[in-house]
Amino acid sequence: MPHLLRRAFLPPGLYELKERLLGRGEDRELARILGLILEYGIEEVKKAIRLALKSGQDSFQAVPLLPGPGR
């Protein structure tokens, strides 16, 4: 799966997050964040990622979304 994630075309904010996480070998963390798109939609996830990156954070826990199952 890491090879697929590396080649994935993503919008700018998601691309920056992808580069940070894959640079540290955290492909599962990236997959968890991208999975949020199915639950919340791309626009909400992009907004949440922008907020997380703006605060210097880049983890699943740092992506501030409405509480969902298992969050």
Side-chain angles (χ1 to χ4, degrees), residues 3-60:
H3 295 96
L4 293 174
L5 289 174
R6 287 198 187 285
R7 293 190 309 235
F9 174 77
L10 298 172
L14 277 72
Y15 179 82
E16 180 181 349
L17 179 71
K18 177 188 90 163
E19 292 300 306
R20 287 186 187 193
L21 292 175
L22 293 182
R24 295 194 309 255
E26 295 185 35
D27 54 302
R28 288 181 187 211
E29 187 82 354
L30 177 59
R32 288 178 69 197
I33 292 169
L34 294 177
L36 293 171
I37 294 170
L38 297 173
E39 187 173 352
Y40 294 99
I42 187 73
E43 292 305 316
E44 288 301 312
V45 173
K46 281 175 24 182
K47 282 190 251 178
I49 288 172
R50 276 195 300 271
L51 289 172
L53 292 175
K54 194 173 185 177
S55 70
Q57 308 240 350
D58 56 15
S59 68
F60 180 78

